[in-house]
Amino acid sequence: MFRSHLSSKPPRSKPPRSKPPCPKSRRSKSRAPAGAARWAAALAALTTAASLTVPVAGAAAEHRPRPPAKQPVATGYGGAVSTVDPYATRTALDVLRRGGNAMDAAVAAGATLGVTEPYVAAIGGGGYITYYDARTGRVHALDGREIAPKRMGEDAFLDPATGEPLPFDQAVTSGLGVGVPGTLAQWDLALRRFGSRDLGRLLRPAVTVAERGFVVDQEFHDQTALNADRFRDIVPTRELFLPGGRVPAVGSVFRNPDLARTYRELARRGTGWFYEGRLGEEIARTVADPPVAPDATRNVRPGLMSTRDLDAYRALLRKPTHVTYRGLDVYGMPPSSSGGTTVGEALNIMSGFRLGEDDPAKALHYYLEASKLAYADRGRYLGDADKVDVPVDELLSRGYARERACLIDPDRAAEAPVAAGSPDGDYRPCVPAGTATRPLAGEGPQTTHLVVADKWGNVASYTLSIEQFGGSGITVPGRGFLLNNQLTDFSFSPPAPGAAPDPNLPGPHKRPRSSMSPTLVLEGGRPRLALGTPGGSTIITTVLQILLNRVDLGMDLPAALNAPRATQRNTPQVFAEQAFIDRYGADLAARGHRLAVFPGPPAGVIGAATALEILRPGLVQAVAEPTRRGGGSAMVVRPAGR
């Protein structure tokens, strides 16, 4: 059982004063001229303003930047950070040490990830933040999800020549899949609402990393190699990420002077330069006319985005989802993310059963079955709640959870896919099991997550993404960042006649459904846990399993994060890591679960989580992956024991 160690009141130190709240992000106006540089000039500049890789041999090694040391667990005082990358973790920690708060540090870390993790985090993407404000004792949800262009209709991903859905890879590497980026508007809203530093100041560490470079590790090398063929077909992407036509070698130094200049301009001009000024014009032009290499044979379709779509974008402050589980308050991200509702529904279903470390296979059986039922409802009901009716309150109601829980056989897994339920307020002891639902939609697993806590008790849980590794593969010429392919999270084709409606079809200025699940857990009204992970539609199950491990199975947080994982998303098979199959496969197979190794990418690896736990007032433990995707980086301001 999850035991409380919080017995005293939190420190009375006040957080840095925030600026007055506002419901929508109001961006500063750009002072840039309205005209934009011509394509020829932008492309010509790439030959001199592209990324540089420097080998470590010889004299160059003397000037090589040293990567910060990685450690998966850090416990101490004064604030804590966990990210997938040591440069980003160091950036956030420096902000905390200099008096910044958790939101300041989260934004600074996100900007640095845009340099060192450009294939998963960039200002060309979006994300979600859940934030505990220690001054008010409230949890907030900040929505920076991308939106579709105004001209996008339900048939946008149908091939006009055949009427059939486009092949997924063609939709990904295209302007058609690019949503209006939300990251910068979200940072603007976050800092004005909760921050104590301005964006320009928080971009400085990222500028330094972009100019001096970072040491290429195996993960960066492998992600580049995975994308090399399509990167070669996009001129500015090839010049930036394949300098000299080659994948950067492990141990070399990668620099991005274009992104450094872009960050500097953003610091000087404000985010209006991105949404209303010259940079916005360049983004819209790049989407509408992707800069494809003359010798490329790939069909890179143009997109529908215009400068008016960029100008119309707003980041939003939303009410988080909330459920109680074993006496804990679990807060998550509301629609358009499906994370908060699906995690919450599954926890509600699981809460009706006694789960413990005495029989972990039994607990995992209920976890897998609850996930299966919650995913059926996710596919049927979840979409952008600003555009479609999403029954959030009913999906998270106890009555509905009891109705769904009665479908679980303690000794036998239900045949998947199971049918969605009816969250209509009329709940009975049980309803017949169904076997028909729409298949699991595609969703890229390439995302990243970070958590930050400061000395005042503020806590940020932040998931950010550009969708696939490398997003759309399209780099804005001369600007140093990739554009997302988040619109491929929409369903590609309307449901068959007579079938249930699909809440996740494309539509004008609609946000595609996401699985991102930045989660905060409070105990007695005070923060206890913050967690999240990349992994596409496996994000939800990874967060669920970490909570099960920590709360029900008696693991401490490092063990809960490191434990082998499985994911059940209402599919016939349970996909799992090999270590999970080795440990639990026989027991779960006896209950009817069909297990197979997770196909990836990356194959056999589910998620790359980061988390933190408030052990007692002031004492925080930050935790990152020890091995998955090369391991993460956890740091604290003042380590315990010093």
Side-chain angles (χ1 to χ4, degrees), residues 136-479:
T136 63
R138 294 179 58 195
V139 176
H140 303 270
L142 290 84
D143 185 340
R145 181 66 160 165
E146 299 87 342
I147 63 171
K150 188 175 182 179
R151 292 190 291 153
M152 178 162 273
E154 291 186 353
D155 60 351
F157 289 106
L158 298 180
D159 188 333
T162 65
E164 295 297 317
L166 294 175
F168 187 71
D169 62 332
Q170 291 186 27
V172 168
T173 309
S174 74
L176 195 61
V178 180
V180 178
T183 291
L184 280 168
Q186 185 183 41
W187 290 353
D188 179 68
L189 173 62
L191 294 175
R192 287 185 298 100
R193 183 64 177 84
F194 302 107
S196 67
R197 302 288 188 268
D198 63 71
L199 179 60
R201 182 173 177 181
L202 298 173
L203 289 174
R204 291 174 193 167
V207 170
T208 299
V209 176
E211 289 183 329
R212 295 181 180 176
F214 62 92
V215 178
V216 172
D217 61 9
Q218 190 67 50
E219 187 74 8
F220 184 87
H221 170 87
D222 291 348
Q223 290 178 15
T224 309
L226 182 70
N227 282 289
D229 287 345
R230 69 185 186 124
F231 280 6
R232 287 191 180 96
D233 289 342
I234 311 295
V235 174
T237 307
R238 179 179 64 196
E239 296 288 347
L240 178 59
F241 295 113
L242 298 171
R246 295 183 297 274
V247 175
V250 174
S252 64
V253 176
F254 186 91
R255 299 189 175 99
N256 192 340
D258 285 348
L259 185 57
R261 283 190 292 272
T262 299
Y263 277 174
R264 279 205 180 93
E265 285 295 293
L266 284 167
R268 185 169 71 90
R269 298 177 183 271
T271 55
W273 181 57
F274 186 97
Y275 290 98
E276 300 156 356
R278 177 174 175 176
L279 182 53
E281 294 173 357
E282 295 176 15
I283 292 168
R285 186 167 59 247
T286 302
V287 172
D289 185 16
V292 182
D295 58 346
T297 59
R298 187 184 305 272
N299 182 10
V300 182
R301 289 175 169 82
L304 303 173
M305 189 188 304
S306 72
T307 55
R308 290 184 179 181
D309 295 313
L310 285 149
D311 185 58
Y313 187 86
R314 297 292 184 273
L316 301 171
L317 192 62
R318 298 191 185 275
K319 178 183 177 182
T321 61
H322 173 229
V323 299
T324 58
Y325 185 69
R326 317 292 192 204
L328 303 169
D329 292 291
V330 182
Y331 292 89
M333 199 69 209
S336 58
S337 174
S338 63
T341 53
T342 312
V343 168
E345 181 184 346
L347 289 174
N348 281 343
I349 294 171
M350 291 161 57
S351 68
F353 304 98
R354 294 177 64 88
L355 310 177
E357 56 190 299
D358 57 317
D359 192 347
K362 171 187 172 183
L364 289 165
H365 168 71
Y366 281 103
Y367 149 68
L368 294 171
E369 293 299 278
S371 298
K372 186 184 299 178
L373 294 164
Y375 266 83
D377 292 331
R378 171 188 179 271
R380 169 64 182 84
Y381 298 110
L382 265 294
D384 183 352
D386 292 337
K387 304 293 184 181
V388 296
D389 183 23
V390 181
V392 173
D393 291 342
E394 293 300 331
L395 287 169
L396 297 179
S397 69
R398 289 289 185 178
Y400 185 61
R402 286 191 293 269
E403 185 175 87
R404 298 298 271 162
C406 75
L407 299 174
I408 298 179
D409 185 329
D411 301 314
R412 195 70 186 170
E415 286 293 326
V418 300
S422 299
D424 54 10
D426 181 18
Y427 304 127
R428 299 167 185 173
C430 200
V431 294
T435 57
T437 188
R438 62 174 54 93
L440 185 70
E443 186 175 354
Q446 298 80 11
T447 302
T448 191
H449 184 81
L450 63 93
V451 289
V452 184
D454 64 31
K455 63 183 178 181
W456 298 283
N458 303 299
V459 181
S461 185
Y462 180 19
T463 311
L464 58 161
S465 177
I466 61 172
E467 179 58 6
Q468 299 287 311
F469 281 136
S472 65
I474 300 171
T475 298
V476 181
R479 297 304 183 186

Side-chain angles (χ1 to χ4, degrees), residues 24-97:
K24 293 187 178 181
S25 175
R26 296 191 300 273
R27 301 179 299 270
S28 58
K29 295 288 184 179
S30 168
R31 295 191 297 271
R38 296 184 60 84
W39 272 111
L43 292 175
L46 289 169
T47 59
T48 56
S51 66
L52 304 173
T53 54
V54 180
V56 298
E62 299 175 6
H63 305 289
R64 172 193 180 197
R66 293 187 177 183
K70 277 188 180 181
Q71 59 181 10
V73 180
T75 306
Y77 305 89
V81 184
S82 179
T83 83
V84 299
D85 176 74
Y87 295 91
T89 298
R90 182 179 63 184
T91 290
L93 200 72
D94 287 345
V95 170
L96 296 178
R97 283 173 172 160

